[in-house]
Amino acid sequence: MTRKRIVVKIGSSSLTNEQGQIDEEKLTDHVRALAALKKANHEVILVSSGAVASGFARLGYASRPETLKGKQAAAAVGQSLLIQSYIDKFNEFDIMPAQILLTRGDFADRERYRNAFATFSELLDRGILPIINENDTVVIDELTFGDNDMLSALVSGFIHADQLIILTDVNGFYDKNPKLHADAKKIDYLETITKEMILSTESSGSSVGTGGMKSKLVAAKRALSLGVPVFIGVGTGDDKLLNILKGKGDGTYIADYSIQAINTSRQWIALHSESAGELHIDEGAERAILKSGRSLLPAGIIKVEGEFKQGDVVDVYGTNGHLGKGEVSYSAKEVKNEIIRHKKESTTDQYVPAVEVIHRNRWIELS
Ligand code: GLU
């Protein structure tokens, strides 16, 4: 099998018990399977939940805390316990893990985003197995990834993974809720995830984790949009991950090979950047950027909003609403001047060289 870059996401209920302890048996099973993937020469990245779930009991709570400070303190306790267990277990296979705790803020800042990419690459080049979690102890509501399913999808896109494997306690996606309908059928392969499918699933997860199938489908949709195929399902034993890679997993495989991977800087524009303004464009420009893959020129811009600078990201609106985001090569003031210059050109016949307000490589369509 050719070498692949694989992100494996493991949820809290697959790592801990209801009493708030790490389930050593479950964790060992995962570690053995991850080690087998690495032994088969694949690059492996683990997104592991379970910080809150394995920390609350040692913090003195009888069940998963409801308060923010309770959860954040439990994560501080549990994250170190988790990593300690991972280090001990991976050590038996001569695998060195590395802990990476991320917040959405790390991705929103372009320099930190680039740094994170360089760090990931260095770790993988050196054969380390990165273990990622959200930095639950410090994260504030506005800066969360939502849940680790979404974190694993964003990380998969970010590092251009060949496969995202979401291990959970349900063996895939069903056409109806299997808990309510005895005749519900498992769907083995999907090419696309529709809104209806997402609406048909439950958002509640287990008592120790968050999520449920809904958040897995939402995350899978995101991963697909970034060109990463996804598996959602279950497995046990040393070969479970290798079997999943071979197409023999018990779950749902979701892949759309018509979607191309998106380079990291365009992913940043699309998913993590904050918009500094708006450009409203006419139908001709809309056609040019959406259908012909051209850059956005001043002639098609009808309205400029916001005080953006060169290099900022702006939202672009067409006649029927939001079209996408792009990085501007000029400030708001310069764009306005260019528009005036172009108006002059059309009335005086005086040639004005065209400038690209948003270069096509710095544009991303968002529907
Ligand atoms: N980051 C959380 C934890 O480690 C889990 C979030 C999730 O379950 O999606 O406890």
Side-chain angles (χ1 to χ4, degrees), residues 12-300:
S12 301
S13 63
S14 308
L15 285 163
T16 57
N17 60 29
E18 304 249 324
Q19 290 76 48
Q21 293 150 340
I22 295 172
D23 183 322
E24 294 292 331
E25 212 174 298
K26 287 182 186 168
L27 189 126
T28 305
D29 191 75
H30 298 310
V31 167
R32 295 173 74 94
L34 290 159
L37 267 193
K38 255 190 95 58
K39 194 154 175 246
N41 203 26
H42 297 300
E43 286 180 330
V44 183
I45 298 96
L46 172 62
V47 176
S48 173
S49 301
V52 178
S54 55
F56 70 77
R58 296 284 279 274
L59 185 65
Y61 281 90
S63 59
R64 193 181 162 93
E66 296 288 333
T67 62
L68 184 62
K69 64 178 183 185
K71 278 187 250 183
Q72 295 196 309
V77 175
Q79 181 65 28
S80 23
L81 290 171
L82 257 184
I83 287 294
Q84 187 180 36
S85 294
Y86 278 127
I87 292 175
D88 287 349
K89 294 272 173 336
F90 277 120
N91 195 26
E92 292 169 24
F93 299 90
D94 276 335
I95 294 172
M96 188 65 217
Q99 169 181 268
I100 304 185
L101 299 177
L102 293 169
T103 68
R104 199 150 203 152
D106 298 320
F107 274 14
D109 182 291
R110 195 186 307 220
E111 211 170 320
R112 274 151 70 190
Y113 182 74
R114 284 199 193 120
N115 277 350
F117 188 79
T119 307
F120 269 108
S121 307
E122 172 77 354
L123 288 169
L124 293 173
D125 285 350
R126 291 183 173 271
I128 302 291
L129 190 150
I131 302 179
I132 302 165
N133 197 355
E134 183 149 14
N135 196 350
D136 297 312
T137 299
V138 297
V139 82
I140 50 169
D141 252 6
E142 305 80 72
L143 288 180
T144 61
F145 290 100
D147 54 59
N148 275 8
D149 295 320
M150 185 50 82
L151 174 60
S152 70
L154 293 173
V155 164
S156 301
F158 179 55
I159 57 169
H160 307 296
D162 298 296
Q163 177 75 51
L164 167 61
I165 297 174
I166 300 182
L167 284 183
T168 179
D169 43 13
V170 190
N171 69 341
F173 171 64
Y174 282 74
D175 62 348
K176 295 181 210 159
N177 185 340
K179 285 188 206 144
L180 304 176
H181 303 274
D183 62 341
K185 276 201 207 68
K186 191 181 82 164
I187 300 179
D188 293 327
Y189 300 99
L190 274 178
E191 274 184 17
T192 174
I193 295 168
T194 63
K195 273 195 195 125
E196 291 69 37
M197 289 176 193
I198 292 173
L199 287 174
S200 77
T201 53
E202 271 187 279
S203 56
S204 58
S206 64
S207 62
V208 288
T210 58
M213 190 51 73
K214 181 169 268 150
S215 81
K216 287 173 183 51
L217 284 191
V218 172
K221 196 171 167 66
R222 169 63 73 220
L224 277 195
S225 76
L226 301 173
V228 182
V230 184
F231 170 87
I232 302 173
V234 294
T236 48
D238 295 7
D239 290 338
K240 67 181 172 190
L241 296 170
L242 284 168
N243 284 337
I244 289 169
L245 269 196
K246 286 182 195 148
K248 294 194 282 188
D250 183 10
T252 302
Y253 286 87
I254 312 161
D256 179 349
Y257 293 104
S258 69
I259 300 178
Q260 306 249 316
I262 301 178
N263 74 32
T264 333
S265 57
R266 288 174 75 225
Q267 284 186 41
W268 182 81
I269 293 172
L271 301 171
H272 309 295
S273 67
E274 246 180 70
S275 174
E278 291 178 9
L279 294 177
H280 294 257
I281 65 173
D282 64 20
E283 265 176 59
E286 184 171 333
R287 257 197 319 275
I289 59 171
L290 297 188
K291 302 262 184 311
S292 318
R294 307 257 278 278
S295 299
L296 177 64
L297 308 179

